[in-house]
Amino acid sequence: MSVHDHPAHLLPHALPSYLNPDDVGPWGTYLQQVDRVTPYLGSLARWVETLKRPKRILIVDVPIEMDDGSIAHFEGYRVQHNLSRGPGKGGVRFHQDVTLSEVMALSAWMSIKNAAVNVPYGGAKGGIRVDPRKLSKGELERLTRRYTSEIGLLIGPTKDIPAPDVNTNAQTMAWMMDTYSMNTGSTATGVVTGKPVDLGGSLGRVEATGRGVFTVGVEAAKLIGLPIEGARLAVQGFGNVGGTAGKLFADAGAKVVAVQDHTGSIYNPDGVDVPALLEHVRSQGGVGGFPGAQSMAADDFWAVNCDILIPAALEGQINKDNAHRIQAKMVIEGANGPTTPEADDILHDKGVLVLPDVIANAGGVTVSYFEWVQDFSSFFWSEDEINARLVRIMQEAFAAVWQVAQENKVSVRTATFIVACQRILHAREMRGLYP
Ligand code: GLU
């Protein structure tokens, strides 16, 4: 009997019905990245299918009462991509464009990222399809609490630990921690990270992702002979990640010449006053209308004359339509999944060095790990200690993937996937299949 005689669902690699092999969204991007790494996995390639299907997907209905008395329903997700190396770990995103494909990809990138910096976690991610800017604070709190209750089946300090992501923050985490604690009957600070410092949060967590972006950027710049002093930066997204990275680069002597976010695109060839821009973003909600720069067409942002480009917003921003216009020598991915595989190839052919999300933005989850350890031991570290440990982990992890990239003549993304997939699949193999 040949495989052709089997019904489709009995074929060894038949996909579950909810996985579309032709996914053109973020999950499709992730699958292409896995395909690129498979030839480098040696005997572990036997397990590679594990990476191509999430371990668990939970889709939840999140009904809340709105301030006007009506009832609104939102769709929420929690995906645990892989738990071979430890509990699930990854943020929760509130955005109107959240889809299952996106949350699956984000959960998978967390598996890769956590393995790349060798924190003892698997990968997970959550999200709600909602525009949080349209909700009042009370509505947001009810949404967060109901979502937390709905995903309560999966989360827990030793099971799966959410954290902030796009449009969620320390307040969101405080509500999540409180809801989980109320439901379980004891205060469980370790169920989420990125909490307020007074509730078991860690010093340095807010800036950690941006600090990691900066650290990896500085290391790579040394390797390609790009001086930071005087370097021109373009940053997309000037929130927690882009804003912190922009500030650290500016403090080190770089000039932030262009910034784009959902409120506009601004340009100043002499470099913007970064603290003033951060204050403008805080008070106005975005970079649009910043008086210390001229505004520019959104499309032209990609063609700005710069040395370093930091996409720190959403997926798929650098794609086949704009990649050829990029002038930068180095792209540092503060966002998750900002570059499509086609764009990766275009940038590679142009000689642009891409520092991928799965290493460049791993500073956030690294300090999340420190927070979780501090919560378990109820012993809190100083900010200097946290930053020093963060920088050391980022430098060492980056040096390791850089070496793999040189040895195998592959991109830093593929090198990071090689290191991470080997760790994940080795753990998978050692644990074996149960039952
Ligand atoms: N949301 C962040 C990320 O994409 C942090 C996740 C975490 O700290 O668990 O890496």
Side-chain angles (χ1 to χ4, degrees):
M1 190 160 143
S2 85
V3 287
H4 302 290
D5 301 322
H6 284 285
H9 68 277
L10 289 181
L11 291 176
H13 295 321
L15 286 174
S17 56
Y18 55 84
L19 291 182
N20 169 9
D22 303 318
D23 190 316
V24 290
W27 177 252
T29 294
Y30 163 75
L31 289 181
Q32 288 189 51
Q33 293 166 347
V34 173
D35 285 342
R36 288 179 180 201
V37 78
T38 307
Y40 301 93
L41 295 178
S43 63
L44 289 171
R46 174 173 175 244
W47 293 94
V48 78
E49 274 296 311
T50 306
L51 299 170
K52 296 189 185 178
R53 44 191 88 208
K55 178 178 178 63
R56 259 182 214 125
I57 294 176
L58 180 62
I59 304 178
V60 293
D61 173 39
V62 189
I64 59 164
E65 185 169 348
M66 303 297 278
D67 292 346
D68 66 4
S70 64
I71 309 293
H73 291 257
F74 299 91
E75 190 163 313
Y77 309 92
R78 185 73 187 171
V79 178
Q80 295 177 337
H81 172 259
N82 187 281
L83 305 180
S84 293
R85 301 180 63 259
K89 185 85 192 83
V92 172
R93 167 174 301 202
F94 291 174
H95 195 276
Q96 60 275 17
D97 297 332
V98 162
T99 62
L100 178 59
S101 164
E102 181 189 33
V103 182
M104 285 180 351
L106 292 166
S107 71
W109 286 323
M110 288 310 304
S111 298
I112 304 295
K113 190 187 305 187
N114 293 336
V117 287
N118 215 358
V119 291
Y121 294 132
K125 200 85 175 196
I128 305 180
R129 191 180 313 139
V130 60
D131 182 353
R133 291 186 184 86
K134 298 212 170 107
L135 300 191
S136 69
K137 189 168 180 199
E139 289 165 344
L140 258 184
E141 176 172 353
R142 293 194 288 282
L143 180 81
T144 305
R145 288 186 182 279
R146 180 62 190 244
Y147 168 73
T148 307
S149 287
E150 293 294 342
I151 64 164
L153 303 166
L154 296 189
I155 62 172
T158 58
K159 290 165 70 181
D160 182 357
I161 305 109
D165 196 74
V166 174
N167 294 335
T168 54
N169 55 28
Q171 174 63 79
T172 323
M173 295 306 116
W175 290 329
M176 290 189 77
M177 189 277 265
D178 183 69
T179 306
Y180 179 85
S181 298
M182 288 298 171
N183 286 345
T184 54
S186 66
T187 295
T189 53
V191 67
V192 289
T193 58
K195 297 178 294 295
V197 171
D198 288 341
L199 283 181
S202 177
L203 295 168
R205 174 62 186 87
V206 173
E207 301 80 18
T209 311
R211 191 175 294 281
V213 165
F214 172 71
T215 304
V216 170
V218 168
E219 292 304 298
K222 275 186 228 156
L223 292 166
I224 62 168
L226 171 67
I228 298 298
E229 177 82 44
R232 286 156 304 173
L233 239 75
V235 187
Q236 189 197 38
F238 217 62
N240 197 24
V241 180
T244 303
K247 166 97 174 51
L248 291 170
F249 273 107
D251 289 350
K255 288 192 289 191
V256 177
V257 296
V259 183
Q260 174 174 83
D261 71 7
H262 66 284
T263 65
S265 306
I266 60 168
Y267 178 64
N268 180 342
D270 301 325
V272 296
D273 175 345
V274 172
L277 180 59
L278 286 169
E279 179 48 36
H280 179 86
V281 170
R282 203 192 55 75
S283 62
Q284 305 300 312
V287 301
F290 178 60
Q294 63 203 66
S295 82
M296 72 193 300
D299 249 15
D300 292 341
F301 170 80
W302 301 106
V304 156
N305 179 12
C306 66
D307 302 299
I308 301 174
L309 171 65
I310 305 182
L314 295 170
E315 304 88 67
Q317 298 296 301
I318 303 179
N319 49 51
K320 62 178 181 346
D321 301 327
N322 59 20
H324 59 279
R325 301 179 68 198
I326 288 172
Q327 309 282 315
K329 300 178 182 69
M330 185 159 95
V331 172
I332 319 175
E333 296 185 341
N336 290 309
T339 311
T340 65
E342 296 102 318
D344 243 347
D345 293 341
I346 296 170
L347 293 174
H348 180 263
D349 292 346
K350 278 165 64 98
V352 180
L353 174 63
V354 178
L355 304 178
D357 47 8
V358 282
I359 189 81
N361 73 28
V365 73
T366 300
V367 176
S368 276
Y369 167 59
F370 298 162
E371 178 174 332
W372 184 73
V373 168
Q374 292 172 82
D375 287 338
F376 268 107
S377 56
S378 298
F379 178 73
F380 291 86
W381 314 346
S382 73
E383 188 159 359
D384 284 350
E385 230 172 319
I386 287 158
N387 288 344
R389 284 183 198 247
L390 168 64
V391 167
R392 200 179 69 225
I393 288 182
M394 297 301 291
Q395 285 174 339
E396 287 176 4
F398 178 67
V401 299
W402 183 263
Q403 198 185 335
V404 171
Q406 302 302 304
E407 279 168 13
N408 293 283
K409 299 193 174 36
V410 293
S411 68
V412 180
R413 188 184 317 278
T414 299
T416 310
F417 268 70
I418 293 176
V419 170
C421 293
Q422 281 176 345
R423 285 191 179 137
I424 297 166
L425 297 181
H426 184 58
R428 166 74 286 182
E429 185 169 72
M430 297 290 285
R431 285 178 69 157
L433 291 174
Y434 172 88

